[in-house]
Amino acid sequence: MKIDFVLNGRKVSAEGDPMDRLLDLLREKFKLTGTKEGCGEGECGACTVLLDGEPVLSCLVPIFQCQGREVMTVEGVAADPEAQAFLERFVQEGGVQCGACTPGIIVTGWKLSQNKARLRRGEIKNALAGNLCRCTGYEAIVRALERESPS
Amino acid sequence: MDKVTGEALYTDDLTLPGMIFGATLRSPHPHARIKRVRWKSASAPDGAICITSGDIPGPNGVQLLDDSWPVLADKIVHHIGEPVALTAAATREAAQRALQAIEIEYEPLPPALSWEEAEQLEPLYTLSLNHGDIQQAFTQADSIFEEEYRTGHQEQLYIECQGMIAWFDDDGMLKIIGSMQCPYYVQKALMHTLQIPEDKISVKPAAVGGAFGGKEDFPSLLAIHAALLARHSGHPVKMVYDRHEDLMVTPKRHPSRIRHRTGVSKEGRLLAMEIKIDLDGGAFQTLSPVVLSRAVLHATGPYRCPNVQIFGRVLRTHTVPNAAFRGFGAPQVHFAVERMIDHVARALKMNPFDIRKINVVHPEDRLATGQVLDESTSAHLVLEEVEKITKFRRRWRSMERARARRQGDEPMRGIGLSLSFHGAGFTGLGEHRMRSPATVRLTADGRMEVLTAQTEMGQGCSTILPQIAAAAAGLRLEDVIAHEPDTAVVPDSGPTVASRTTMIVGGTVERAARELRDRVIHWAQEHLGTGPDLEIRDSEVRGPKGSVSPFRDIGRACYEQGGPREVTLHHEPPAWQEFDESTYRGVAYATYGWAAHVIEVDIDPDTLEPRPLKATGVAEVGRVIHPTMCKGQFEGGTLQAIGYALTEEMKMKQGKYLNDRLTTYIIPTMKDSPKMEVTFLDRPWQGGAFGAKGIGELPMNGAAPAVIQAIENATGIIPVALPSTPERLYRWMMEGRTTGED
């Protein structure tokens, strides 16, 4: 089938089997390799993208579900001028080590921190419980998000 | 920054023209004879190829310590998942389909899968260490305690699975790019098996999505597989495992069975320790002898004991070979010795802090190897500091009392303390033998470039090594860059393992950067007529009369006019680091990192599920070069150890891992992680880069025993194995393995 959707703010269309994974479509057709596959079964959160603004696991999303909707990947967040301070804070706080989980954490964290003056620890932990990180012990990620405030 | 924008390229993000994909056919049996292999090419997808052990040009073994680990099984398979044949085809799916066109006839053989069965086979390796006279000491001890401790497999679970791409370029050069921590290991293995000379192979890590030891040996096997397929097909070949395959077949932390017999005085002083260590090596040796060596050398923990006898074995089983994982044999023995110390304390009605305080090593004390500890020994200092921060002593006592008074479904809360140490750098003469080189050179634009084989896998070496060079040469960080570790360009500064990067390689980089700076200054004096007594600070070269010129200008002039461009120096291990590998006497490690952990847990009274609330760590790792990264290493290692203690377990049936997915192998999420507080005692050590010691592995050693002691403090149940799952806690409770006070 042919699907039309908005990818990182731009209208795009793609051909594919309706049950193809969104993850593969993004990585292979659109060459957006920022989105990573960590487990392929919705457990690790590395492949998280925003679908109409909500975090979803792109390894579990069949592409037909994207018809007419908006998909935002880490590349989309990185291109947003308002996200720059947010991204830098992740680096400064040591919230990034090997970087394999980072794109998923960035899109989830960016969504979480928008329109929020200050995030509480419990709130951060609930929102990011589905994003596994094996390097940081999570503390630096929590610190980066706790410091987040609107510019 | 390219990691937060998604621009960093990992192995699976790379595509080459004409690239095809590889897949692996694996043994379904733990032990069997291969009677016949048939490739039914007619039923395979178009263009698919297949190779078996007969297609290997050189020795059929991965060159590590030896080459006993087969590249592809030949006559016998030794574990489930052992590679038997490889296919390659135009897509991943086609390569997988091609596997079905291979027909193999097996004749099953009896496997050894338990400790008891493994004991019937010849051990893969044994090691012993004696100090003092334990027989005599046991007769003088006031009490003797005996206990057996067990730990299970632990999976590294880097988020990026194993992956490798191989191709031959137009000049016939074999190119490898992939996920690895030791590019020179991969190169040596390729030279051996493919019979290709060193200068015809270039190995380069892509961005590496975590490793923790899991990408130390296995990438050599995967690189050989991809290279064999590339050679056979004439195409670039990519092999990337999915999580299921990665969990099924890659090496894990060795399970252990450790028996302690300990004699103490009535005050609780250690008099004699007899420690028997068995590690389950799996089917092949891989790195097990070195892992056992670390286990033996860390078996007494950071404690003083005049009489010690340690005997270690690596037993062979018909399971996936076990190998490197952060800590490398030390987490297993730390769990056992910390449990034994707790056992003694409880029997003598002592506080866990007090018993550690009277036995902890100080400068001038001897370890079991006979090594006399120098002034950089800080076990007693981290212990005192953690007590000061957490008031552990008092709180442990009050929670003991609370446990006795607890009623009904009131929450159970406990606090635990542990002490740990980790020898930095390679064991014994390892660093002497390698004397690994590092290079610093000028670039055409007058900057300084650091060339090492050290691989960035999130631990920060691509930041820290330039930082060391910059500090040594008086340059700003932006004027120093790290060359990516490509074996065709960088010197073999050794593997990125064993907490050696900052201390050992960093130390060489520091000296080389100073040397290059001095040579450039000397050249400037002679050729630019700058006069003597130049000084470099913040990338500015200052003359004695206040004149200032950017280092880049002088560097560029030096480069263009044929001045000194490059300095390569070798690591110089301290002359006093003498170690006898036959008797295991002497200085096993030039220095050690020291840590104390205090961890608090809540236990659900209905399910016995532990929940870590807070972890406090105090560590001494010499001078802290990069506080954020150092803290990140400590926090990350602490959480991996908490997972090791509580949930991470590979269950096995007939030699097959049952929980081979992330839904069943449970690592800590953000909600399972405690609040952490980490303090470093800043005590520069004379031998490391700017006084730094290794940090990477240390936190992995101490956190698990601290969690376990906290569980005991909360519940009165005495855990003797890792992970201490609710099921095991319940069983121990039913068996009466309790403090007996409840």
Side-chain angles (χ1 to χ4, degrees):
Chain A
M1 73 179 280
K2 177 167 178 282
I3 64 155
D4 301 294
F5 62 109
V6 176
L7 177 56
N8 294 333
R10 212 180 291 164
K11 281 186 180 172
V12 295
S13 54
E15 280 288 338
D17 186 292
M19 290 305 286
D20 280 353
R21 306 188 303 173
L22 174 59
L23 172 63
D24 299 326
L25 184 75
L26 294 172
R27 288 179 56 83
E28 284 161 25
K29 165 89 177 37
F30 293 102
K31 307 290 175 213
L32 293 173
T33 53
T35 305
K36 309 297 180 197
E37 172 162 357
C39 69
E41 57 179 5
E43 277 293 316
C44 76
C47 69
T48 308
V49 299
L50 301 178
L51 183 59
D52 285 347
E54 288 303 315
V56 295
L57 301 162
S58 64
C59 72
L60 296 183
V61 175
I63 58 171
F64 78 87
Q65 286 193 349
C66 301
Q67 186 71 273
R69 299 171 77 182
E70 281 187 38
V71 175
M72 172 85 85
T73 69
V74 66
E75 288 91 346
V77 176
D80 184 343
E82 284 179 27
Q84 297 317 303
F86 167 80
L87 298 174
E88 271 161 30
R89 203 139 39 222
F90 256 85
V91 179
Q92 280 163 16
E93 286 291 342
V96 182
Q97 285 191 27
C98 85
C101 72
T102 304
I105 286 178
I106 291 290
V107 297
T108 313
W110 175 236
K111 158 76 187 169
L112 181 71
S113 62
Q114 277 175 311
N115 312 318
K116 284 268 188 176
R118 188 160 187 89
L119 292 167
R120 286 193 310 272
R121 211 177 154 80
E123 224 175 343
I124 296 168
K125 290 201 159 197
N126 279 334
L128 283 156
N131 290 79
L132 297 179
C133 166
R134 192 58 156 168
C135 297
T136 59
Y138 302 109
E139 281 295 282
I141 295 170
V142 174
R143 283 195 293 270
L145 285 164
E146 274 180 330
R147 275 182 54 194
E148 177 63 18
S149 58
S151 41
Chain B
M1 194 69 192
D2 63 344
K3 287 176 180 171
V4 291
T5 59
E7 287 165 300
L9 293 174
Y10 298 77
T11 304
D12 201 20
D13 302 336
L14 301 166
T15 303
L16 291 161
M19 188 172 83
I20 62 172
F21 296 84
T24 314
L25 187 77
R26 302 180 176 282
S27 164
H29 301 284
H31 194 198
R33 181 169 288 117
I34 299 174
K35 293 177 72 180
R36 204 165 62 105
V37 180
R38 221 176 110 218
W39 166 237
K40 300 181 293 182
S41 59
S43 63
D46 279 352
I49 59 158
C50 168
I51 59 179
T52 60
S53 61
D55 301 306
I56 298 170
N60 180 11
V62 182
Q63 181 65 53
L64 275 164
L65 300 170
D66 66 7
D67 68 351
S68 60
W69 186 18
V71 171
L72 291 169
D74 183 7
K75 296 182 180 70
I76 307 272
V77 289
H78 294 86
H79 65 86
I80 288 179
E82 185 174 354
V84 180
L86 304 167
T87 59
T91 64
R92 288 171 215 248
E93 296 71 29
Q96 288 294 330
R97 274 205 316 279
L99 295 178
Q100 286 155 26
I102 307 171
E103 201 178 76
I104 303 191
E105 248 181 80
Y106 293 101
E107 178 193 330
L109 299 168
L113 297 171
S114 64
W115 290 112
E116 293 70 27
E117 287 165 335
E119 277 180 323
Q120 306 304 313
L121 304 177
E122 185 73 13
L124 286 163
Y125 199 72
T126 62
L127 206 54
S128 59
L129 171 54
N130 292 295
H131 180 63
D133 180 348
I134 61 157
Q135 298 318 331
Q136 170 78 13
F138 274 123
T139 61
Q140 290 169 355
D142 294 312
S143 332
I144 296 175
F145 301 94
E146 278 189 72
E147 195 62 83
E148 180 179 301
Y149 303 102
R150 294 191 183 202
T151 64
H153 286 99
Q154 189 185 17
E155 157 63 35
Q156 294 85 357
L157 223 121
Y158 31 72
I159 299 295
E160 181 214 23
C161 292
Q162 304 269 357
M164 201 66 66
I165 303 172
W167 74 100
F168 288 85
D169 71 8
D170 295 340
D171 303 329
M173 179 112 172
L174 172 58
K175 301 259 195 175
I176 297 282
I177 188 158
S179 193
M180 65 184 84
Q181 49 189 112
C182 309
Y184 270 98
Y185 279 9
V186 173
Q187 190 193 39
K188 281 170 193 146
L190 288 163
M191 286 162 59
H192 186 68
T193 298
L194 276 92
Q195 301 280 295
I196 296 177
E198 188 176 8
D199 59 354
K200 285 287 188 189
I201 305 176
S202 131
V203 179
K204 214 157 88 166
V208 177
F212 317 115
K215 291 170 183 172
E216 180 170 348
D217 51 6
F218 197 82
S220 297
L221 177 71
L222 194 55
I224 294 171
H225 285 175
L228 287 171
L229 288 169
R231 179 174 163 274
H232 212 75
S233 66
H235 288 272
V237 173
K238 183 194 268 190
M239 295 188 82
V240 175
Y241 289 171
D242 66 11
R243 182 60 65 186
H244 173 71
E245 187 170 24
D246 196 295
L247 280 169
M248 279 290 280
V249 305
T250 62
K252 327 239 172 280
R253 187 186 302 293
H254 293 75
S256 73
R257 177 177 68 171
I258 301 172
R259 291 164 208 174
H260 266 257
R261 188 161 166 253
T262 300
V264 296
S265 72
K266 56 183 181 303
E267 301 82 30
R269 265 178 221 289
L270 294 167
L271 299 175
M273 295 169 98
E274 183 187 32
I275 306 171
K276 291 182 177 156
I277 304 165
D278 286 334
L279 298 180
D280 175 351
F284 304 108
Q285 180 186 264
T286 66
L287 296 164
S288 290
V290 200
V291 174
L292 180 67
S293 162
R294 274 235 178 229
V296 164
L297 291 165
H298 289 76
T300 60
Y303 301 108
R304 178 167 47 188
C305 182
N307 306 285
V308 179
Q309 191 176 80
I310 306 169
F311 180 65
R313 299 187 291 187
V314 182
L315 297 176
R316 184 196 295 270
T317 53
H318 291 103
T319 60
V320 174
N322 297 308
F325 190 161
R326 193 178 202 167
F328 212 72
Q332 293 94 322
V333 296
H334 270 91
F335 170 68
V337 71
E338 290 295 284
R339 284 278 69 200
M340 177 45 91
I341 298 280
D342 290 342
H343 185 72
V344 173
R346 194 163 290 281
L348 301 183
K349 302 198 183 314
M350 288 177 77
N351 189 291
F353 173 82
D354 296 330
I355 192 160
R356 284 171 173 78
K357 184 167 162 114
I358 65 167
N359 287 298
V360 65
V361 288
H362 289 74
E364 306 297 321
D365 280 337
R366 270 176 201 278
L367 293 175
T369 52
Q371 174 173 359
V372 179
L373 290 166
D374 67 8
E375 74 290 346
S376 75
T377 302
S378 304
H380 58 300
L381 301 178
V382 296
L383 181 65
E384 295 288 354
E385 185 65 21
V386 90
E387 163 64 19
K388 215 162 81 192
I389 296 170
T390 62
K391 307 282 179 288
F392 170 82
R393 206 171 174 279
R394 182 168 56 73
R395 293 178 61 209
W396 182 85
R397 226 172 22 233
S398 86
M399 287 185 197
E400 284 281 303
R401 280 199 292 266
R403 188 180 75 235
R405 284 197 312 268
R406 203 182 68 87
Q407 294 194 338
D409 54 3
E410 282 171 19
M412 300 168 156
R413 184 162 290 189
I415 188 166
L417 164 74
S418 75
L419 258 186
S420 57
F421 72 143
H422 201 87
F426 266 14
T427 303
L429 302 177
E431 299 291 352
H432 290 254
R433 261 194 297 273
M434 295 197 302
R435 291 191 67 247
S436 36
T439 299
V440 170
R441 72 181 179 197
L442 286 178
T443 60
D445 64 353
R447 287 188 292 175
M448 204 180 258
E449 187 172 34
V450 179
L451 286 81
T452 71
Q454 270 26 73
T455 303
E456 175 61 53
M457 44 201 183
Q459 87 285 32
C461 74
S462 66
T463 306
I464 285 162
L465 293 175
Q467 193 187 336
I468 288 170
L475 302 181
R476 280 196 300 265
L477 201 49
E478 63 260 32
D479 289 326
V480 183
I481 47 177
H483 195 287
E484 55 184 23
D486 174 345
T487 59
V489 184
V490 302
D492 183 3
S493 54
T496 310
V497 302
S499 306
R500 65 185 292 280
T501 294
T502 301
M503 181 179 115
I504 305 274
V505 183
T508 312
V509 166
E510 179 193 348
R511 285 190 298 123
R514 282 216 174 92
E515 170 87 28
L516 182 59
R517 174 201 63 188
D518 291 348
R519 285 200 211 168
V520 170
I521 287 182
H522 187 72
W523 176 86
Q525 286 163 0
E526 286 195 347
H527 293 83
L528 303 180
T530 54
D533 303 325
L534 297 183
E535 210 194 338
I536 307 184
R537 241 184 310 149
D538 288 336
S539 286
E540 287 175 342
V541 185
R542 293 157 191 274
K545 291 183 184 156
S547 66
V548 174
S549 161
F551 178 81
R552 275 205 199 193
D553 290 352
I554 289 183
R556 200 182 307 121
C558 179
Y559 185 94
E560 283 164 3
Q561 295 173 32
R565 285 188 184 177
E566 183 174 307
V567 171
T568 298
L569 293 180
H570 288 260
H571 170 61
E572 297 290 351
W576 45 262
Q577 194 188 348
E578 287 171 2
F579 188 70
D580 183 334
E581 288 177 342
S582 58
T583 59
Y584 261 56
R585 308 294 303 168
V587 181
Y589 302 97
T591 191
Y592 299 82
W594 311 92
H597 276 93
V598 165
I599 300 185
E600 298 168 52
V601 298
D602 254 357
I603 315 274
D604 184 313
D606 295 323
T607 63
L608 290 181
E609 194 177 339
R611 196 164 70 88
L613 302 173
K614 183 162 187 204
T616 307
V618 177
E620 191 267 280
V621 290
R623 158 80 35 91
V624 172
I625 302 249
H626 193 304
T628 305
M629 285 180 175
C630 205
K631 198 161 143 188
Q633 286 293 298
F634 202 88
E635 290 172 344
T638 295
L639 190 64
Q640 280 180 347
I642 289 173
Y644 185 42
L646 299 181
T647 61
E648 294 185 35
E649 178 173 33
M650 275 292 172
K651 291 200 167 118
M652 199 178 269
K653 191 175 179 186
Q654 285 303 304
K656 186 176 188 208
Y657 298 129
L658 294 178
N659 42 346
D660 52 354
R661 2 187 48 103
L662 265 169
T663 45
T664 47
Y665 184 84
I666 309 297
I667 65 168
T669 70
M670 196 177 270
K671 286 193 87 165
D672 305 317
S673 69
K675 179 141 184 61
M676 294 196 214
E677 199 180 296
V678 181
T679 307
F680 293 106
L681 305 183
D682 197 42
R683 301 189 72 213
W685 177 65
Q686 35 138 358
F690 289 98
K693 303 179 187 175
I695 165 81
E697 295 167 284
L698 180 64
M700 189 77 222
N701 295 350
V707 174
I708 298 305
Q709 192 195 79
I711 293 174
E712 183 174 308
N713 183 227
T715 63
I717 301 167
I718 302 177
V720 289
L722 293 182
S724 290
T725 57
E727 294 82 358
R728 287 212 173 102
L729 291 171
Y730 181 75
R731 205 180 67 219
W732 290 321
M733 186 171 78
M734 289 294 118
E735 287 170 357
R737 274 188 187 275
T738 61
T739 55
E741 295 148 20
D742 298 345

